[in-house]
Amino acid sequence: KQEVTQIPAALSVPEGENLVLNCSFTDSAIYNLQWFRQDPGKGLTSLLLIQSSQREQTSGRLNASLDKSSGRSTLYIAASQPGDSATYLCAGEGGSEKLVFGKGTKLTVNP
Amino acid sequence: GAGVSQSPSNKVTEKGKDVELRCDPISGHTALYWYRQSLGQGLEFLIYFQGNSAPDKSGLPSDRFSAERTGGSVSTLTIQRTQQEDSAVYLCASSPRTQNTEAFFGQGTRLTVV
């Protein structure tokens, strides 16, 4: 059974700092890993999808990596801004064909 | 449509009443998922559809919960005889197919059982 863990649960940084959010999963037979952002009271916004054959994906100031052998993914945010404040969720899709989510990292970027 | 649409956005119901939650997926997406997010908790998988069939219903919490999908499009999640512990945000997602494709979520339905 796939389990996904995100560390830390919460993170507070000053504006402009580069930061890394961590995601680990127990089953390396993973098809893809997807990172989402959730603002308070809102649904989930897809940020990046890394397929199992890929090692990383980039979108603007975001870079996500996937290491299946170690069961880890990281989301790197460069030059953080107050507008980046949100909860970031990672989810892995495996043979069960459903996304298994971590509990998220709540990020606060202080002006 | 442009995105996944869920209705209603908010629902307050009395304990014991039945409720129906609706999800309109992105046009052409064959896979549709329902998740539940309780206060302070992670996302809990409920059920997914491939076309009109539901290969995995393992996440439905009890037999009071049911879901259907018609025409490979709109899905309805029904909760019968609602209980206070059913209060949560119910999220729907769709993707072009299962396996290795990006999933897109709606804004959710916030259900409050009083």
Side-chain angles (χ1 to χ4, degrees):
Chain A
K1 177 186 173 185
Q2 181 72 272
E3 293 183 2
V4 178
T5 304
Q6 291 187 248
I7 294 173
L11 181 64
S12 182
V13 300
E15 182 176 3
E17 193 161 297
N18 302 326
L19 58 100
V20 174
L21 307 181
N22 296 294
C23 172
S24 61
F25 46 92
T26 54
D27 186 357
S28 62
I30 196 167
Y31 291 148
N32 65 53
L33 195 293
Q34 195 166 354
W35 282 92
F36 296 88
R37 166 188 175 136
Q38 186 174 33
D39 293 283
K42 304 290 187 182
L44 276 65
T45 300
S46 177
L47 297 173
L48 289 164
L49 169 72
I50 313 174
Q51 296 183 342
S52 59
S53 59
Q54 300 170 324
R55 293 191 64 85
E56 65 179 286
Q57 283 285 341
T58 298
S59 176
R61 294 182 294 108
L62 306 180
N63 176 277
S65 67
L66 175 64
D67 184 342
K68 290 178 60 177
S69 62
S70 67
R72 292 183 182 181
S73 176
T74 60
L75 179 67
Y76 175 82
I77 303 177
S80 57
Q81 303 171 358
D84 295 331
S85 298
T87 296
Y88 290 80
L89 296 155
C90 70
E93 179 189 359
S96 62
E97 297 183 330
K98 64 192 181 196
L99 288 172
V100 178
F101 282 84
K103 292 189 184 302
T105 294
K106 184 176 181 180
L107 174 65
T108 303
V109 181
N110 300 300
Chain B
V4 178
S5 177
Q6 292 188 246
S7 61
S9 54
N10 281 284
K11 176 73 176 178
V12 180
T13 189
E14 292 181 351
K15 178 180 173 181
K17 301 279 190 183
D18 298 351
V19 295
E20 284 190 353
L21 312 180
R22 176 187 169 105
C23 173
D24 251 300
I26 293 172
S27 179
H29 281 194
T30 61
L32 185 150
Y33 306 82
W34 283 99
Y35 285 82
R36 177 168 75 171
Q37 188 174 35
S38 302
L39 189 63
Q41 301 297 310
L43 270 80
E44 175 189 10
F45 169 79
L46 298 179
I47 186 171
Y48 92 89
F49 290 89
Q50 179 59 34
N52 290 337
S53 64
D56 191 344
K57 306 178 183 180
S58 63
L60 294 177
S62 73
D63 59 7
R64 297 187 295 104
F65 287 72
S66 63
E68 65 174 12
R69 188 179 185 193
T70 54
S73 181
V74 172
S75 176
T76 303
L77 177 68
T78 300
I79 308 173
Q80 296 179 312
R81 304 180 302 281
T82 51
Q83 303 294 313
Q84 287 187 329
E85 61 262 29
D86 299 334
S87 296
V89 176
Y90 289 81
L91 292 161
C92 175
S94 72
S95 64
R97 63 177 192 277
T98 57
Q99 295 189 12
N100 251 342
T101 60
E102 193 173 3
F104 297 90
F105 278 78
Q107 292 299 298
T109 293
R110 181 176 297 278
L111 175 66
T112 304
V113 182
V114 297

